[in-house]
Structures are given as structure tokens and as C-alpha cells.
Amino acid sequence: MIKDKIIAQHLQVAYGPKVIIKTADFAVKENDIFIIMGGSGCGKSSMLRVLTGLLPPAQGTFFVNGIDYPKADDNTKLEIMKKVGILYQSGGLFSSMTLAENIALPLQKYSDYSPSTIADLVNLKLSLVGLAGFNDYYPSEISGGMKKRAGLARALALDPEIVYFDEPSAGLDPISSARLDDLMKDINQNLGTTLVVVTHELDSIFNIGTNSIFIDAASKTISAQGNPHDLLKNPPNENVFNFLTREQENAKTAK
């Protein structure tokens, strides 16, 4: 039976008195590739900050595997976050550490594995993202796309149930972006990992998304939910239609 991995209830996102999202209700199901989409400045990344525990909700709450995260004690939150991976926009790698050292860090901190087992797991995670043999490279010695994949290898270090992605295609060329999309689909399908992806890139949205929410910047609410392809076929409002067809309109204007 498919279960809900994340449930948001009347969730409000704000920075002090500045409300970014008035209210949000949605559910991320097990094995979803769940897209948080919307135009620039709508609050996508701020929503991700709430879901990853970096920003407390102004109102409402959210549950992770049935646990009310904002109300949980610190030890419970830590146990929840051990089952979560995060890929930051820039990859988030420590520049003074090799790729192997970056990936080994969460294993050293949050597992009881021996050094030899950690080394084997590092090799496995690097192979998983197509970076076998790059253990001793530093982030400055590899391309942007490779940094994203190395960051993903670190996010997968502890075999998380959920991985959050913040604009994973940002700064990548179309080929690197498509390769990362394919890798994300492979991880979702082969490992059963639930992915929550913040993005405004239409190619990625339609290529990988199985479910989604659209955050409307004007109303500061979620104005659409569902599979992106279904939303394109039957857009619930003009803003969603314009967002999902904007590249087609740009192409017409260019002609």
C-alpha cells in the first residue's frame, strides 16, 4: 500500500512579518518524484527550507513518516533527518575535501561502520552517480555537472528514504541537466527513493515529475496539484497554463 511520506497541513511560510506562502496543504507519496514549481520569487526554495527543518513554519505543520516534525524533540528530528538527503543548488561540497572525504563525512558522523566499510560505500555511491575513480578529486577539479552528481552521491550516503533537491539544473548545460534528470529517475525507480524537487525548468518538470504543486506568487497559495502532464492537459487556471507553456510562447515570439 502506498503511503504518504510527507503531509503538509495549513502550512504557512514566512520570514517574520513577511508572509511568503499564506497556506499550503499537500501530500508527497512514497516513491513520488514530487515537483515544487512556480515562477521566480514564489517561495519554492523557502518551502524547501521549511520541509528540511531550516525554517520553522509560521503556522500549520507537516508530518514526515507520520511524525509531526515541528513538534518533535531534537533527538527525533535527528533520527528523521538521518533518513533524508539534500542536494543543494551548488552541490554544497566542502572545497577543502576530496569527493571521497565529502561522501564519507555523514557516514563517519552518523554510522558505526568501520573505515574499510565506509571506503567501500564511498566507492559504491560514486559509481552510482557515474563518478567511479574520482575519489581523490577536489570539487575545484571537476565540472559543474560532476559537482551536482558528487553532491547527490553524498546525499545518498546514508541510504535516505527521501532526497530534497533545490534547483538541481541551475547552472547546467542542457546535456548535463538531462543526464542529472535521468540519474534522478534511476534512483527513484531502482532504489525506491522519494524525491522532492524544487525547479522551474519545464524540461525537468515534464521529464521526471510524477506529482507536483504550483505555488502562485500573486495569491501566495498553491493553485494547482497533480501530475505535470495532467496539469498541462487541463490547467486549472491561467497562471498554471502560462507557466507550463511559456517556452512555447517564447518560441513563437522569437519567430
Side-chain angles (χ1 to χ4, degrees):
M1 180 178 178
I2 296 175
K3 62 181 181 180
D4 293 329
K5 298 297 288 182
I6 303 167
I7 300 174
Q9 294 181 343
H10 312 304
L11 197 63
Q12 184 178 102
V13 179
Y15 295 94
K18 183 176 177 58
V19 175
I20 307 299
I21 300 171
K22 291 178 180 177
T23 185
D25 294 87
F26 59 87
V28 179
K29 296 191 176 301
E30 187 174 38
N31 210 34
D32 261 348
I33 300 182
F34 189 89
I35 306 293
I36 300 176
M37 60 183 178
S40 179
C42 71
K44 301 185 299 295
S45 292
S46 295
M47 174 64 78
L48 195 66
R49 286 176 61 83
V50 170
L51 295 178
T52 54
L54 296 175
L55 177 69
Q59 293 181 23
T61 193
F62 65 97
F63 297 80
V64 181
N65 287 328
I67 299 172
D68 190 331
Y69 186 89
K71 293 182 180 178
D73 59 45
D74 289 344
N75 287 334
T76 301
K77 287 180 178 177
L78 178 59
E79 291 306 309
I80 291 171
M81 292 309 294
K82 285 181 183 178
K83 299 176 182 177
V84 168
I86 304 173
L87 178 61
Y88 300 96
Q89 259 190 58
S90 63
L93 299 169
F94 292 104
S95 60
S96 61
M97 302 171 71
T98 65
L99 301 191
E101 290 168 340
N102 267 280
I103 298 164
L105 188 60
L107 291 162
Q108 293 165 345
K109 189 171 179 61
Y110 296 116
S111 80
D112 297 323
Y113 294 132
S114 67
S116 61
T117 299
I118 289 175
D120 289 340
L121 287 170
V122 167
N123 289 334
L124 176 64
K125 303 305 178 182
L126 283 171
S127 296
L128 186 64
V129 300
L131 291 175
F134 283 83
N135 303 52
D136 296 328
Y137 282 67
Y138 286 89
S140 62
E141 298 174 322
I142 58 176
S143 69
M146 294 168 75
K147 287 178 186 176
K148 293 286 181 81
R149 286 187 278 136
L152 180 54
R154 188 179 63 183
L156 295 170
L158 293 170
D159 296 321
E161 297 177 11
I162 303 168
V163 178
Y164 295 102
F165 296 77
D166 187 11
E167 297 283 5
S169 298
L172 298 184
D173 61 82
I175 294 175
S176 297
S177 180
R179 184 174 183 181
L180 184 59
D181 283 348
D182 289 342
L183 179 57
M184 291 161 67
K185 285 196 294 186
D186 287 343
I187 289 165
N188 170 256
Q189 293 167 5
N190 296 329
L191 302 182
T193 310
T194 301
L195 310 184
V196 179
V197 185
V198 165
T199 185
H200 67 279
E201 298 287 347
L202 291 181
D203 286 345
S204 292
I205 289 169
F206 291 122
N207 185 29
I208 67 175
T210 62
N211 199 0
S212 69
I213 56 174
F214 177 82
I215 302 175
D216 189 286
S219 66
K220 299 183 179 181
T221 61
I222 293 173
S223 67
Q225 299 189 43
N227 184 291
H229 291 277
D230 293 337
L231 295 179
L232 179 61
K233 291 177 184 176
N234 298 292
N237 57 68
E238 186 176 2
N239 287 344
V240 172
F241 175 79
N242 290 340
F243 178 84
L244 293 177
T245 61
R246 66 190 190 278
E247 290 188 359
Q248 297 174 21
E249 292 302 316
N250 290 341
K252 290 179 183 178
T253 303
K255 290 179 181 178

